[in-house]
Amino acid sequence: MASHQNPHFWRVVSAVRCMMDSSRSAQRAVIQFNCAEGEHASQIYRRMKEVYGEQCLARCTIFWWCQCYEAGRVNIKDLLRPGQAHVVTNSATISAVDELIRQNRRITTREIAVELSISKGTVQHIIHKKLGYGKVCAQWAPKQCQRIGRRREWVFA
């Protein structure tokens, strides 16, 4: 059997290609390969430290990944992590922000955030991306508004 037909050969080639890349996922692939070969975590760490130098994963991280792969994990990608659900930017919140701005055009994003118990970043996203408002002379105004003359009178489209 030719060496390029051997599945083990392609695993080695893949591991060597990954060794040229110092990204975390590439290093995890190297760890996974070496664990499959039966190499001990401390030896894997020593070899990876020689190859990657300062970009090498921490010793405890390599040991942790070895444990994962020995326990049967096959994926080198991070698992999904729970985070804040993106349900804050819904139609009710958007209309509440719009109503607060219409009541007081000089209201700040911080005041809106406190009033609605949402983050300032979410308020800014709603104001600029969803509602299309911008600050004009310290007042919120639709971005399509026009100024009349030299006085501070605005016509809203």
Side-chain angles (χ1 to χ4, degrees), residues 1 6 14 20 40 42 46 53 60 62 66 72 78 81 86 106-107 118 122 130 137-138 149:
M1 180 190 294
N6 185 347
S14 176
M20 302 304 163
H40 191 268
S42 58
R46 273 189 240 114
C60 61
I62 292 173
C66 285
D78 283 328
R81 295 184 177 138
H86 296 283
R106 291 186 178 270
I107 194 167
I118 57 178
T122 301
K130 301 291 184 181
C137 298

Side-chain angles (χ1 to χ4, degrees), residues 48-59:
M48 287 182 66
K49 192 69 175 168
E50 290 173 9
V51 174
Y52 294 111
E54 292 297 315
Q55 272 69 46
C56 184
L57 294 173
R59 184 177 185 272

Side-chain angles (χ1 to χ4, degrees), residues 8 31 42 57 136 153:
H8 181 71
I31 294 168
S42 58
L57 294 173
V136 180
E153 295 178 28

Side-chain angles (χ1 to χ4, degrees), residues 10-147:
W10 290 111
R11 288 176 58 197
V12 172
V13 168
S14 176
V16 169
R17 284 184 185 146
C18 287
M19 290 178 74
M20 302 304 163
D21 180 8
S22 64
S23 69
R24 286 182 292 173
S25 59
Q27 290 187 47
R28 289 178 198 163
V30 172
I31 294 168
Q32 184 183 34
F33 175 79
N34 286 315
C35 283
E37 293 287 310
E39 202 164 324
H40 191 268
S42 58
Q43 182 62 25
I44 294 172
Y45 172 71
R46 273 189 240 114
R47 290 178 61 198
M48 287 182 66
K49 192 69 175 168
E50 290 173 9
V51 174
Y52 294 111
E54 292 297 315
Q55 272 69 46
C56 184
L57 294 173
R59 184 177 185 272
C60 61
T61 304
I62 292 173
F63 275 66
W64 184 82
W65 279 105
C66 285
Q67 285 178 345
C68 290
Y69 294 130
E70 289 168 2
R73 183 171 176 163
V74 294
N75 196 347
I76 62 171
K77 294 180 182 176
D78 283 328
L79 298 175
L80 293 175
R81 295 184 177 138
Q84 182 177 2
H86 296 283
V87 296
V88 177
T89 309
N90 55 29
S91 59
T93 309
I94 293 169
S95 59
V97 170
D98 191 31
E99 185 61 33
L100 287 172
I101 290 174
R102 288 178 187 273
Q103 289 173 3
N104 177 10
R105 292 225 180 250
R106 291 186 178 270
I107 194 167
T108 64
T109 54
R110 179 171 293 165
E111 291 169 342
I112 295 171
V114 169
E115 180 79 23
L116 299 177
S117 299
I118 57 178
S119 72
K120 258 182 62 179
T122 301
V123 172
Q124 289 173 341
H125 174 76
I126 291 171
I127 290 172
H128 296 290
K129 301 291 184 193
K130 301 291 184 181
L131 297 174
Y133 287 140
K135 276 281 190 170
V136 180
C137 298
Q139 293 184 21
W140 292 110
K143 291 184 180 176
Q144 296 85 14
C145 71
Q146 301 170 355
R147 188 171 178 182

